[in-house]
Amino acid sequence: PGMAARRGDAIVALVAICAALATLPDARVHGFKANDFKKCETSSFCQRLRDRPEGATREIYSIEGRWEPIGGRGGGWGAVLAKAGEPRPLRVELTPYGDEGVVRLRVDEPAHPRFVVPDVLVDDLSPSEFADVQFAHQSGGKGGTTGARTVFLTKNPDVDVVVTHAPFRVAVRVRGHETTVFNRRSLFEFEYKRDGPAEGESWSESFNSHTDSRPNGPTALAFDVTFPDAEHVYGIPERATSLSLKETKDHNGRVTSEPYRMYNLDVFEYLAESPFGLYGSIPVMLAHAKVPSGGTVTSAVYFNNPTETYVDVTKDSEVRSQGFAGFGGRKSTSVDAHWMAESGSMDVFVAPGPTPAAVVRQYTSLTGTTRMPPSFALGYHQCRWNYRDEKDVAEVDAGFDAHDIPYDVLWLDIEHTDGKRYMTWDAGKFPTPRRMIEDVASRGRKMVTIVDPHVKKDDGYPIFKEGKDKNFYVKKADGTTDFDGWCWPGSSTYLDVTSPTVRDWWAGKFALDQYQGSTKDLYIWNDMNEPSVFNGPEVTMQKDLVHAGGVEHREVHNAFGMYYHAATAEGISRRNEERPFVLSRAFFAGTQRIGPIWTGDNAADWDHLRVSIPMVATLGLTGLTFAGADVGGFFGNPDAELATRWYQIGIYYPFFRGHAHLETKRREPWLFGSESTRTIRDAIRRRYQLMPYLYTLFEAAHREGSPVLRPLWYEFPDDPTAWAREDAVMLGPAILVHPVLTQGAVDVDVSLPDGVWYDFDTGESHVGPKRWRYPVTIADVPTFVRGGHIVPRRDRPRRSTSAMRRDPLTLVVAPDARGDAVGELYLDDGVSFEHQTRGAFVRRALTYAAHKELRCSEPTAASARAGGVEGSRGASANGAADASSVKDFADVSVERVLILGAARHGGAVVNGDARDVVAAPASTRDGAPGGGAVAVRKPGVRIADDWTIALAASAGR
């Protein structure tokens, strides 16, 4: 457009923004304001359900008659669930999935079936069969009589399900021990659909000047789940709070805080400690219990419903049997979760575990595993709202090279567009976008632009005009008028991405001939997709808006952002015919199949640094492991110490990005002084050094759902001291990181679990359990390699992941007390889908035995566990592709084997040829002490081949 047109657009945009700001909640001006968002007491369904006493529906719901196979065949079983005083019965169904004991419990009203959200569960999910079904009726009684029950035996001989008919109760047992009990407290409630409000009753509900017409009336659901013998529960992200969820009600029913809320919202400057829900929701809760028979059991529930949901957590303990705890009695604990949803389906899955890895594997078998990312996505991402123009982009890109700091992706926020018309460019600031992207790409890097779900209302904007002409926008409550909301461009419409037709159309808009100025090296960022509506209730859409098929927005709210994310990722996948990369802020169960997310608009303070660890770890536990927090904090200005400490933990986030608000000072990694630049460079280089290990962990997440960043209890489930710890984390099974999380720290209280551990930087060995004060300078982060593991690295500093793809490997061997260690390495081309379509990958087992030899061979179950996988899919063989398809990465060699804890060194023999073994530092960090390890130099072997390195006796401890 000409200058006059641009000036006119600027005036219109300014007026629009001023109008939008006038309608914003106070939160956008003054930070988080609780009164701008609902609480339980201002949500009518939560208010009427939360305070019901235990046993409220004990005499209300019961099963009548016998369970029968659904459709007269194997698979699921169904029965009549009667509600006292209600002539219309409900239908209850219990269905098994897989062979590990996963079961699905559904309740519905046959006359008015509830909406079940599509596209969340995996497409190929199909029920299995119960091994046996056993009825136990009382003689002379009917099916609904107290004492009648049905036992469902799953294909897993350790798992069965006991359904008590009256009062209605469902218990999942592992090895005879109840681990997950539905409706033990008799708080189940299912509100029937009514024809209309009673006389004098109004179905509408108002909040802060907004009115929800609620045309279908109250249709809430509630149920309680008890985890017997559990002390801790985890999950139900997203919120800034502790890893182990605090109770919101005590065992006497007294409220101690707001319940945990799941309702995706644009929360401006969120608090660092609050049960309040944030940008995404995953209704998965894990529990960890110490069972009376010995050992521990982890289990989980998944509520397949994207409507607004609150969850109360109550922790209880009592002494059972005679005597007092410690004097003949046994202290028994349990955790109760009371789930309350506004509407939608009563659809609950139970994952029986019994290990943390099994639970995550079972859950992701339902909603999908992590999409295998392109390798560049695991590098460092540099972002800011906003890089000003093409000159600024070039200077930032050059700054990384000038300071020898690796990075992979440079990002552009909303100011790069023409008046917030997404997929356009500001012609004054970015006149040659294709040339700019190609210049960055010439050094092996990528760029990302932001594309938000609001579409500027402007008939001169082709995307808006075409979407309007095709009738592709979300409708008002009347079902015919396009909804008009305010966001960054001013007056905006919102694509109805719940429709497959709309998603398919939107995906096509990322073609190179549609998105002018783009190239195959440009990727996408979806922000504001909760969706954010500046003048809407709670800064989002009204619940009575209408989507395709007449579905109310309340029924799909928490999944809306995921649909938009999926459509965008499909567009990039089609454009490149390669793995897409699209970041999203909003998410729901299943988002892991699409791409990464980040934890939103955090702040540059120590509290937000600390809470980022449980936030990211919790996402991993609930299947969405490709996640991270904005390094340095989005709001505010971190000083050199905080920025440095944040980079030192940020390198272990699965998604690693620095980002900052428009009004903050510039904070590229080299702007905090020479000492900080050196320390931040060392940290980022460590991220790249660990890329082979990290990529292997991501393939494990893709194969089986296992988290990349893990809380300690995931790896040490039998250690009670680990169950609530969040000051340290595991990167996969082999690396423990104890970040520095307090200002001015001179030491860190380090606690190592059982086993042998090696200091990552010094090679010094420790035997756990061990606790001590670890002295630190600004350059130090206590980091340890776990004995019994082998960690693959690439030690040559490079500018990006693409520059290191053919680099040789260093294998770091950390022997356990027996002198053994095992590891796994996965390699593919890092770009294409050929790892799936052609089996074009290499997976190798690395085994070190008795301080004597290191072998490289086909993968084993043991190596799979070392690579992060523990289930039936663990011992996968190498790919089946021909040699030419894998040559690019199969030719990767080993340039060094580093053996930690070896105080002496002798020679080595590699496939019959002698090699030198010399003393070596454990770390490549500047100033790392020597002698922490011994190294076999230049063994001259390829990782794709079978080989053995035999060590002389003097190379042991």
PDB file of all heavy atoms in Angstrom, residues 551-579:
ATOM      1  N   VAL A 551     -22.708 -26.314  18.311  1.00  0.00           N
ATOM      2  CA  VAL A 551     -22.074 -26.587  19.599  1.00  0.00           C
ATOM      3  C   VAL A 551     -21.729 -25.272  20.293  1.00  0.00           C
ATOM      4  O   VAL A 551     -21.101 -24.386  19.700  1.00  0.00           O
ATOM      5  CB  VAL A 551     -20.807 -27.441  19.412  1.00  0.00           C
ATOM      6  CG1 VAL A 551     -20.090 -27.659  20.743  1.00  0.00           C
ATOM      7  CG2 VAL A 551     -21.159 -28.777  18.773  1.00  0.00           C
ATOM      8  N   GLU A 552     -22.116 -25.153  21.543  1.00  0.00           N
ATOM      9  CA  GLU A 552     -21.780 -23.953  22.310  1.00  0.00           C
ATOM     10  C   GLU A 552     -20.289 -23.894  22.607  1.00  0.00           C
ATOM     11  O   GLU A 552     -19.634 -24.924  22.793  1.00  0.00           O
ATOM     12  CB  GLU A 552     -22.536 -23.947  23.636  1.00  0.00           C
ATOM     13  CG  GLU A 552     -23.942 -23.429  23.585  1.00  0.00           C
ATOM     14  CD  GLU A 552     -24.453 -23.166  24.997  1.00  0.00           C
ATOM     15  OE1 GLU A 552     -24.623 -24.137  25.750  1.00  0.00           O
ATOM     16  OE2 GLU A 552     -24.659 -22.001  25.344  1.00  0.00           O
ATOM     17  N   HIS A 553     -19.792 -22.663  22.716  1.00  0.00           N
ATOM     18  CA  HIS A 553     -18.371 -22.503  23.015  1.00  0.00           C
ATOM     19  C   HIS A 553     -18.008 -23.136  24.353  1.00  0.00           C
ATOM     20  O   HIS A 553     -16.888 -23.652  24.507  1.00  0.00           O
ATOM     21  CB  HIS A 553     -17.986 -21.023  23.014  1.00  0.00           C
ATOM     22  CG  HIS A 553     -16.536 -20.795  23.280  1.00  0.00           C
ATOM     23  ND1 HIS A 553     -15.547 -21.119  22.368  1.00  0.00           N
ATOM     24  CD2 HIS A 553     -15.884 -20.329  24.377  1.00  0.00           C
ATOM     25  CE1 HIS A 553     -14.371 -20.845  22.880  1.00  0.00           C
ATOM     26  NE2 HIS A 553     -14.539 -20.367  24.097  1.00  0.00           N
ATOM     27  N   ARG A 554     -18.927 -23.122  25.321  1.00  0.00           N
ATOM     28  CA  ARG A 554     -18.602 -23.692  26.636  1.00  0.00           C
ATOM     29  C   ARG A 554     -18.195 -25.158  26.530  1.00  0.00           C
ATOM     30  O   ARG A 554     -17.451 -25.661  27.360  1.00  0.00           O
ATOM     31  CB  ARG A 554     -19.791 -23.532  27.594  1.00  0.00           C
ATOM     32  CG  ARG A 554     -20.882 -24.552  27.498  1.00  0.00           C
ATOM     33  CD  ARG A 554     -22.046 -24.283  28.455  1.00  0.00           C
ATOM     34  NE  ARG A 554     -22.832 -23.129  28.004  1.00  0.00           N
ATOM     35  CZ  ARG A 554     -22.892 -21.980  28.669  1.00  0.00           C
ATOM     36  NH1 ARG A 554     -22.236 -21.835  29.803  1.00  0.00           N
ATOM     37  NH2 ARG A 554     -23.620 -20.979  28.198  1.00  0.00           N
ATOM     38  N   GLU A 555     -18.682 -25.852  25.506  1.00  0.00           N
ATOM     39  CA  GLU A 555     -18.406 -27.277  25.365  1.00  0.00           C
ATOM     40  C   GLU A 555     -17.001 -27.557  24.834  1.00  0.00           C
ATOM     41  O   GLU A 555     -16.492 -28.670  24.983  1.00  0.00           O
ATOM     42  CB  GLU A 555     -19.426 -27.926  24.425  1.00  0.00           C
ATOM     43  CG  GLU A 555     -20.866 -27.773  24.848  1.00  0.00           C
ATOM     44  CD  GLU A 555     -21.248 -28.668  26.004  1.00  0.00           C
ATOM     45  OE1 GLU A 555     -20.421 -29.518  26.412  1.00  0.00           O
ATOM     46  OE2 GLU A 555     -22.380 -28.540  26.509  1.00  0.00           O
ATOM     47  N   VAL A 556     -16.372 -26.566  24.210  1.00  0.00           N
ATOM     48  CA  VAL A 556     -15.084 -26.807  23.551  1.00  0.00           C
ATOM     49  C   VAL A 556     -14.001 -25.838  24.000  1.00  0.00           C
ATOM     50  O   VAL A 556     -12.885 -25.867  23.472  1.00  0.00           O
ATOM     51  CB  VAL A 556     -15.229 -26.705  22.009  1.00  0.00           C
ATOM     52  CG1 VAL A 556     -16.174 -27.770  21.491  1.00  0.00           C
ATOM     53  CG2 VAL A 556     -15.687 -25.314  21.583  1.00  0.00           C
ATOM     54  N   HIS A 557     -14.291 -24.980  24.967  1.00  0.00           N
ATOM     55  CA  HIS A 557     -13.410 -23.852  25.261  1.00  0.00           C
ATOM     56  C   HIS A 557     -11.955 -24.263  25.435  1.00  0.00           C
ATOM     57  O   HIS A 557     -11.053 -23.690  24.811  1.00  0.00           O
ATOM     58  CB  HIS A 557     -13.884 -23.104  26.511  1.00  0.00           C
ATOM     59  CG  HIS A 557     -12.947 -22.005  26.915  1.00  0.00           C
ATOM     60  ND1 HIS A 557     -12.984 -20.756  26.347  1.00  0.00           N
ATOM     61  CD2 HIS A 557     -11.919 -21.977  27.811  1.00  0.00           C
ATOM     62  CE1 HIS A 557     -12.030 -19.996  26.865  1.00  0.00           C
ATOM     63  NE2 HIS A 557     -11.369 -20.713  27.751  1.00  0.00           N
ATOM     64  N   ASN A 558     -11.683 -25.225  26.297  1.00  0.00           N
ATOM     65  CA  ASN A 558     -10.287 -25.567  26.591  1.00  0.00           C
ATOM     66  C   ASN A 558      -9.579 -26.238  25.420  1.00  0.00           C
ATOM     67  O   ASN A 558      -8.341 -26.326  25.419  1.00  0.00           O
ATOM     68  CB  ASN A 558     -10.208 -26.457  27.829  1.00  0.00           C
ATOM     69  CG  ASN A 558     -10.481 -25.689  29.107  1.00  0.00           C
ATOM     70  OD1 ASN A 558     -10.408 -24.464  29.138  1.00  0.00           O
ATOM     71  ND2 ASN A 558     -10.791 -26.409  30.175  1.00  0.00           N
ATOM     72  N   ALA A 559     -10.330 -26.694  24.433  1.00  0.00           N
ATOM     73  CA  ALA A 559      -9.720 -27.329  23.259  1.00  0.00           C
ATOM     74  C   ALA A 559      -9.575 -26.373  22.083  1.00  0.00           C
ATOM     75  O   ALA A 559      -8.930 -26.726  21.089  1.00  0.00           O
ATOM     76  CB  ALA A 559     -10.541 -28.547  22.826  1.00  0.00           C
ATOM     77  N   PHE A 560     -10.141 -25.175  22.181  1.00  0.00           N
ATOM     78  CA  PHE A 560     -10.139 -24.251  21.038  1.00  0.00           C
ATOM     79  C   PHE A 560      -8.722 -23.946  20.572  1.00  0.00           C
ATOM     80  O   PHE A 560      -8.408 -24.010  19.386  1.00  0.00           O
ATOM     81  CB  PHE A 560     -10.862 -22.948  21.410  1.00  0.00           C
ATOM     82  CG  PHE A 560     -10.909 -21.949  20.285  1.00  0.00           C
ATOM     83  CD1 PHE A 560     -11.965 -21.951  19.393  1.00  0.00           C
ATOM     84  CD2 PHE A 560      -9.906 -21.005  20.120  1.00  0.00           C
ATOM     85  CE1 PHE A 560     -12.017 -21.033  18.340  1.00  0.00           C
ATOM     86  CE2 PHE A 560      -9.939 -20.088  19.077  1.00  0.00           C
ATOM     87  CZ  PHE A 560     -11.001 -20.102  18.180  1.00  0.00           C
ATOM     88  N   GLY A 561      -7.844 -23.596  21.501  1.00  0.00           N
ATOM     89  CA  GLY A 561      -6.476 -23.262  21.132  1.00  0.00           C
ATOM     90  C   GLY A 561      -5.743 -24.428  20.503  1.00  0.00           C
ATOM     91  O   GLY A 561      -4.899 -24.244  19.613  1.00  0.00           O
ATOM     92  N   MET A 562      -6.045 -25.638  20.958  1.00  0.00           N
ATOM     93  CA  MET A 562      -5.410 -26.824  20.382  1.00  0.00           C
ATOM     94  C   MET A 562      -5.832 -27.018  18.927  1.00  0.00           C
ATOM     95  O   MET A 562      -5.012 -27.375  18.069  1.00  0.00           O
ATOM     96  CB  MET A 562      -5.760 -28.063  21.195  1.00  0.00           C
ATOM     97  CG  MET A 562      -5.070 -29.328  20.704  1.00  0.00           C
ATOM     98  SD  MET A 562      -5.562 -30.815  21.584  1.00  0.00           S
ATOM     99  CE  MET A 562      -7.213 -31.050  20.926  1.00  0.00           C
ATOM    100  N   TYR A 563      -7.106 -26.769  18.621  1.00  0.00           N
ATOM    101  CA  TYR A 563      -7.564 -26.885  17.240  1.00  0.00           C
ATOM    102  C   TYR A 563      -6.833 -25.888  16.337  1.00  0.00           C
ATOM    103  O   TYR A 563      -6.437 -26.223  15.210  1.00  0.00           O
ATOM    104  CB  TYR A 563      -9.072 -26.633  17.156  1.00  0.00           C
ATOM    105  CG  TYR A 563      -9.934 -27.750  17.676  1.00  0.00           C
ATOM    106  CD1 TYR A 563     -10.926 -27.514  18.630  1.00  0.00           C
ATOM    107  CD2 TYR A 563      -9.793 -29.047  17.195  1.00  0.00           C
ATOM    108  CE1 TYR A 563     -11.733 -28.526  19.104  1.00  0.00           C
ATOM    109  CE2 TYR A 563     -10.596 -30.077  17.655  1.00  0.00           C
ATOM    110  CZ  TYR A 563     -11.568 -29.808  18.615  1.00  0.00           C
ATOM    111  OH  TYR A 563     -12.364 -30.827  19.075  1.00  0.00           O
ATOM    112  N   TYR A 564      -6.649 -24.670  16.819  1.00  0.00           N
ATOM    113  CA  TYR A 564      -5.947 -23.660  16.023  1.00  0.00           C
ATOM    114  C   TYR A 564      -4.490 -24.057  15.823  1.00  0.00           C
ATOM    115  O   TYR A 564      -3.938 -23.936  14.710  1.00  0.00           O
ATOM    116  CB  TYR A 564      -6.052 -22.312  16.733  1.00  0.00           C
ATOM    117  CG  TYR A 564      -5.544 -21.153  15.905  1.00  0.00           C
ATOM    118  CD1 TYR A 564      -6.272 -20.686  14.812  1.00  0.00           C
ATOM    119  CD2 TYR A 564      -4.351 -20.528  16.219  1.00  0.00           C
ATOM    120  CE1 TYR A 564      -5.815 -19.620  14.052  1.00  0.00           C
ATOM    121  CE2 TYR A 564      -3.882 -19.465  15.459  1.00  0.00           C
ATOM    122  CZ  TYR A 564      -4.618 -19.015  14.382  1.00  0.00           C
ATOM    123  OH  TYR A 564      -4.148 -17.962  13.622  1.00  0.00           O
ATOM    124  N   HIS A 565      -3.867 -24.538  16.883  1.00  0.00           N
ATOM    125  CA  HIS A 565      -2.490 -25.026  16.847  1.00  0.00           C
ATOM    126  C   HIS A 565      -2.364 -26.161  15.817  1.00  0.00           C
ATOM    127  O   HIS A 565      -1.427 -26.185  15.002  1.00  0.00           O
ATOM    128  CB  HIS A 565      -2.127 -25.508  18.254  1.00  0.00           C
ATOM    129  CG  HIS A 565      -0.688 -25.816  18.473  1.00  0.00           C
ATOM    130  ND1 HIS A 565      -0.263 -26.530  19.593  1.00  0.00           N
ATOM    131  CD2 HIS A 565       0.431 -25.544  17.777  1.00  0.00           C
ATOM    132  CE1 HIS A 565       1.042 -26.647  19.558  1.00  0.00           C
ATOM    133  NE2 HIS A 565       1.501 -26.071  18.463  1.00  0.00           N
ATOM    134  N   ALA A 566      -3.314 -27.095  15.839  1.00  0.00           N
ATOM    135  CA  ALA A 566      -3.267 -28.249  14.934  1.00  0.00           C
ATOM    136  C   ALA A 566      -3.382 -27.820  13.481  1.00  0.00           C
ATOM    137  O   ALA A 566      -2.672 -28.332  12.603  1.00  0.00           O
ATOM    138  CB  ALA A 566      -4.379 -29.233  15.287  1.00  0.00           C
ATOM    139  N   ALA A 567      -4.278 -26.870  13.202  1.00  0.00           N
ATOM    140  CA  ALA A 567      -4.457 -26.415  11.826  1.00  0.00           C
ATOM    141  C   ALA A 567      -3.196 -25.714  11.313  1.00  0.00           C
ATOM    142  O   ALA A 567      -2.790 -25.904  10.157  1.00  0.00           O
ATOM    143  CB  ALA A 567      -5.659 -25.474  11.741  1.00  0.00           C
ATOM    144  N   THR A 568      -2.573 -24.912  12.178  1.00  0.00           N
ATOM    145  CA  THR A 568      -1.355 -24.214  11.784  1.00  0.00           C
ATOM    146  C   THR A 568      -0.222 -25.205  11.513  1.00  0.00           C
ATOM    147  O   THR A 568       0.502 -25.096  10.523  1.00  0.00           O
ATOM    148  CB  THR A 568      -0.942 -23.214  12.872  1.00  0.00           C
ATOM    149  OG1 THR A 568      -2.033 -22.334  13.160  1.00  0.00           O
ATOM    150  CG2 THR A 568       0.254 -22.398  12.433  1.00  0.00           C
ATOM    151  N   ALA A 569      -0.052 -26.170  12.416  1.00  0.00           N
ATOM    152  CA  ALA A 569       1.002 -27.164  12.235  1.00  0.00           C
ATOM    153  C   ALA A 569       0.779 -27.987  10.969  1.00  0.00           C
ATOM    154  O   ALA A 569       1.736 -28.327  10.259  1.00  0.00           O
ATOM    155  CB  ALA A 569       1.079 -28.079  13.455  1.00  0.00           C
ATOM    156  N   GLU A 570      -0.468 -28.299  10.677  1.00  0.00           N
ATOM    157  CA  GLU A 570      -0.759 -29.021   9.441  1.00  0.00           C
ATOM    158  C   GLU A 570      -0.348 -28.195   8.231  1.00  0.00           C
ATOM    159  O   GLU A 570       0.174 -28.725   7.241  1.00  0.00           O
ATOM    160  CB  GLU A 570      -2.248 -29.363   9.372  1.00  0.00           C
ATOM    161  CG  GLU A 570      -2.721 -29.974   8.069  1.00  0.00           C
ATOM    162  CD  GLU A 570      -2.066 -31.301   7.728  1.00  0.00           C
ATOM    163  OE1 GLU A 570      -1.551 -31.974   8.651  1.00  0.00           O
ATOM    164  OE2 GLU A 570      -2.060 -31.677   6.533  1.00  0.00           O
ATOM    165  N   GLY A 571      -0.551 -26.876   8.299  1.00  0.00           N
ATOM    166  CA  GLY A 571      -0.154 -26.010   7.197  1.00  0.00           C
ATOM    167  C   GLY A 571       1.339 -26.025   6.959  1.00  0.00           C
ATOM    168  O   GLY A 571       1.804 -26.106   5.808  1.00  0.00           O
ATOM    169  N   ILE A 572       2.143 -25.967   8.033  1.00  0.00           N
ATOM    170  CA  ILE A 572       3.595 -25.994   7.888  1.00  0.00           C
ATOM    171  C   ILE A 572       4.057 -27.367   7.399  1.00  0.00           C
ATOM    172  O   ILE A 572       4.974 -27.483   6.576  1.00  0.00           O
ATOM    173  CB  ILE A 572       4.280 -25.630   9.216  1.00  0.00           C
ATOM    174  CG1 ILE A 572       3.866 -24.219   9.651  1.00  0.00           C
ATOM    175  CG2 ILE A 572       5.789 -25.721   9.100  1.00  0.00           C
ATOM    176  CD1 ILE A 572       4.187 -23.142   8.647  1.00  0.00           C
ATOM    177  N   SER A 573       3.426 -28.414   7.880  1.00  0.00           N
ATOM    178  CA  SER A 573       3.781 -29.764   7.441  1.00  0.00           C
ATOM    179  C   SER A 573       3.513 -29.941   5.952  1.00  0.00           C
ATOM    180  O   SER A 573       4.323 -30.497   5.212  1.00  0.00           O
ATOM    181  CB  SER A 573       2.984 -30.785   8.254  1.00  0.00           C
ATOM    182  OG  SER A 573       3.315 -32.105   7.882  1.00  0.00           O
ATOM    183  N   ARG A 574       2.381 -29.441   5.485  1.00  0.00           N
ATOM    184  CA  ARG A 574       2.058 -29.527   4.054  1.00  0.00           C
ATOM    185  C   ARG A 574       3.042 -28.709   3.224  1.00  0.00           C
ATOM    186  O   ARG A 574       3.491 -29.139   2.158  1.00  0.00           O
ATOM    187  CB  ARG A 574       0.649 -28.979   3.807  1.00  0.00           C
ATOM    188  CG  ARG A 574      -0.476 -29.884   4.169  1.00  0.00           C
ATOM    189  CD  ARG A 574      -1.751 -29.238   3.664  1.00  0.00           C
ATOM    190  NE  ARG A 574      -2.913 -29.688   4.409  1.00  0.00           N
ATOM    191  CZ  ARG A 574      -4.118 -29.151   4.271  1.00  0.00           C
ATOM    192  NH1 ARG A 574      -4.295 -28.136   3.432  1.00  0.00           N
ATOM    193  NH2 ARG A 574      -5.130 -29.608   4.966  1.00  0.00           N
ATOM    194  N   ARG A 575       3.346 -27.508   3.711  1.00  0.00           N
ATOM    195  CA  ARG A 575       4.214 -26.609   2.949  1.00  0.00           C
ATOM    196  C   ARG A 575       5.596 -27.209   2.730  1.00  0.00           C
ATOM    197  O   ARG A 575       6.146 -27.179   1.637  1.00  0.00           O
ATOM    198  CB  ARG A 575       4.328 -25.279   3.698  1.00  0.00           C
ATOM    199  CG  ARG A 575       5.142 -24.225   2.980  1.00  0.00           C
ATOM    200  CD  ARG A 575       5.555 -23.117   3.941  1.00  0.00           C
ATOM    201  NE  ARG A 575       6.594 -23.572   4.880  1.00  0.00           N
ATOM    202  CZ  ARG A 575       7.046 -22.829   5.890  1.00  0.00           C
ATOM    203  NH1 ARG A 575       6.545 -21.624   6.096  1.00  0.00           N
ATOM    204  NH2 ARG A 575       7.995 -23.305   6.690  1.00  0.00           N
ATOM    205  N   ASN A 576       6.164 -27.762   3.788  1.00  0.00           N
ATOM    206  CA  ASN A 576       7.536 -28.263   3.723  1.00  0.00           C
ATOM    207  C   ASN A 576       7.643 -29.740   3.425  1.00  0.00           C
ATOM    208  O   ASN A 576       8.717 -30.231   3.081  1.00  0.00           O
ATOM    209  CB  ASN A 576       8.260 -27.987   5.043  1.00  0.00           C
ATOM    210  CG  ASN A 576       8.621 -26.534   5.231  1.00  0.00           C
ATOM    211  OD1 ASN A 576       8.141 -25.668   4.519  1.00  0.00           O
ATOM    212  ND2 ASN A 576       9.478 -26.257   6.188  1.00  0.00           N
ATOM    213  N   GLU A 577       6.548 -30.477   3.639  1.00  0.00           N
ATOM    214  CA  GLU A 577       6.576 -31.939   3.590  1.00  0.00           C
ATOM    215  C   GLU A 577       7.655 -32.460   4.532  1.00  0.00           C
ATOM    216  O   GLU A 577       8.363 -33.423   4.238  1.00  0.00           O
ATOM    217  CB  GLU A 577       6.789 -32.444   2.159  1.00  0.00           C
ATOM    218  CG  GLU A 577       5.650 -32.068   1.223  1.00  0.00           C
ATOM    219  CD  GLU A 577       5.815 -32.630  -0.174  1.00  0.00           C
ATOM    220  OE1 GLU A 577       6.960 -32.955  -0.546  1.00  0.00           O
ATOM    221  OE2 GLU A 577       4.804 -32.757  -0.881  1.00  0.00           O
ATOM    222  N   GLU A 578       7.765 -31.792   5.658  1.00  0.00           N
ATOM    223  CA  GLU A 578       8.717 -32.143   6.710  1.00  0.00           C
ATOM    224  C   GLU A 578       8.059 -31.889   8.052  1.00  0.00           C
ATOM    225  O   GLU A 578       6.930 -31.400   8.132  1.00  0.00           O
ATOM    226  CB  GLU A 578       9.998 -31.295   6.579  1.00  0.00           C
ATOM    227  CG  GLU A 578      10.815 -31.606   5.351  1.00  0.00           C
ATOM    228  CD  GLU A 578      12.010 -30.677   5.192  1.00  0.00           C
ATOM    229  OE1 GLU A 578      12.063 -29.627   5.891  1.00  0.00           O
ATOM    230  OE2 GLU A 578      12.887 -30.981   4.374  1.00  0.00           O
ATOM    231  N   ARG A 579       8.789 -32.215   9.124  1.00  0.00           N
ATOM    232  CA  ARG A 579       8.250 -32.002  10.462  1.00  0.00           C
ATOM    233  C   ARG A 579       7.989 -30.513  10.693  1.00  0.00           C
ATOM    234  O   ARG A 579       8.853 -29.679  10.452  1.00  0.00           O
ATOM    235  CB  ARG A 579       9.228 -32.496  11.521  1.00  0.00           C
ATOM    236  CG  ARG A 579       9.596 -33.956  11.383  1.00  0.00           C
ATOM    237  CD  ARG A 579      10.655 -34.339  12.408  1.00  0.00           C
ATOM    238  NE  ARG A 579      11.511 -35.416  11.919  1.00  0.00           N
ATOM    239  CZ  ARG A 579      12.585 -35.863  12.539  1.00  0.00           C
ATOM    240  NH1 ARG A 579      12.962 -35.302  13.678  1.00  0.00           N
ATOM    241  NH2 ARG A 579      13.294 -36.842  12.022  1.00  0.00           N
TER     242      ARG A 579
END
